[in-house]
Amino acid sequence: MTARVGVVTFPGSLDDGDAARAVRIAGAEPVRLWHGDPDLHGVDAVVLPGGFSYGDYLRCGAIARFAPVMETVVDAARGGLPVLGICNGFQILCEAHLLPGALTRNQHLHFRNRDQVLRIESAGTAWTNAFQPGQEVLIPVKNGEGCYVADPATLDQLEAEGRVVARYVGGNPNGSQRDIAAITNPAGNVVGIMPHPEHAVEALTGPSLDGLGFFTSVLKHLVGAPA
């Protein structure tokens, strides 16, 4: 049976269509989910896409965290549902306390849009098992509030538990502490990433096909998950 991966659309979402296309290219069925509908329609995994949910008012992701769909997503994620938050989705995951820390204004105060090399630090998550630890990938980054911050104890805990999923290589585009580009929760089913893997799944439009591995990883994870 084909896996069904939900892609949530919030008011102001920008990359929900791209995320749905990446899911389809990976071999799954994309299921469009609406922010105002708490029903996840039986999906096997969820992607929170990039964009500017609710206009980024208050803080990025601060209002989206209270959307009806997020109440269900939070409960399902705590029960093991794979959830990937990309850019604004990463911000929402932090606001929802599914991931620690916060994403703040880029240190240089400029929006940064470029192709970015990342080093995969953890291949043990539901979204990165298609990679090898230490593998370098090329994925677009585009953000104005992408600076990952946390208190020193949290950063040390992420490092000690192997929960830093990816780091920036060849220059940090936003000033994120310890060059962190992606992190995961202790169970490895929830991943937040600031760069955009959904923009690196087709040779025609992306700088590489490296982003596709995030989406094929969750399919591999679902095949091996207990029924």
Side-chain angles (χ1 to χ4, degrees):
M1 182 178 294
T2 301
R4 303 172 74 246
V5 179
V7 178
V8 179
T9 297
F10 299 96
S13 289
L14 176 65
D15 298 310
D16 46 340
D18 298 75
R21 184 169 63 251
V23 166
R24 185 169 56 252
I25 292 171
E29 176 190 349
V31 178
R32 305 305 288 266
L33 302 177
W34 186 241
H35 69 102
D37 182 2
D39 190 349
L40 299 184
H41 300 281
V43 299
D44 302 301
V46 168
V47 176
L48 304 179
F52 307 90
S53 59
Y54 297 91
D56 280 349
Y57 289 111
L58 299 183
R59 293 183 308 276
C60 300
I63 299 177
R65 175 259 181 276
F66 293 102
V69 73
M70 282 305 300
E71 182 176 350
T72 314
V73 168
V74 168
D75 288 343
R78 288 175 176 157
L81 182 78
V83 178
L84 176 66
I86 303 170
C87 196
N88 187 224
F90 188 2
Q91 295 161 341
I92 295 169
L93 290 175
C94 289
E95 289 287 342
H97 306 296
L98 286 174
L99 293 175
L103 286 306
T104 62
R105 185 71 177 161
N106 292 352
Q107 281 193 344
H108 45 66
L109 304 182
H110 297 286
F111 189 92
R112 187 65 77 234
N113 183 3
R114 73 187 192 197
D115 297 333
Q116 176 69 48
V117 178
L118 307 179
R119 183 174 62 248
I120 302 297
E121 300 283 14
S122 172
T125 80
W127 298 93
T128 56
N129 59 66
F131 301 104
Q132 296 295 321
Q135 182 176 345
E136 293 189 358
V137 297
L138 182 65
I139 292 175
V141 64
K142 53 174 189 177
N143 62 74
E145 291 83 19
C147 179
Y148 181 76
V149 297
D151 62 89
T154 297
L155 292 170
D156 289 343
Q157 183 178 24
L158 289 172
E159 300 274 14
E161 295 178 358
R163 291 168 53 197
V164 175
V165 172
R167 297 184 203 270
Y168 298 111
V169 174
N172 185 326
N174 46 43
S176 288
Q177 292 178 321
R178 305 192 189 182
D179 296 328
I180 290 174
I183 61 172
T184 186
N185 66 337
N189 63 302
V190 178
V191 168
I193 182 169
M194 183 49 55
H196 288 262
E198 79 280 15
H199 294 331
V201 298
E202 295 177 295
L204 178 65
T205 58
S208 72
L209 303 182
D210 293 343
L212 192 58
F214 289 88
F215 300 95
T216 58
S217 286
V218 76
L219 302 188
K220 180 180 176 184
H221 169 81
L222 291 171
V223 168

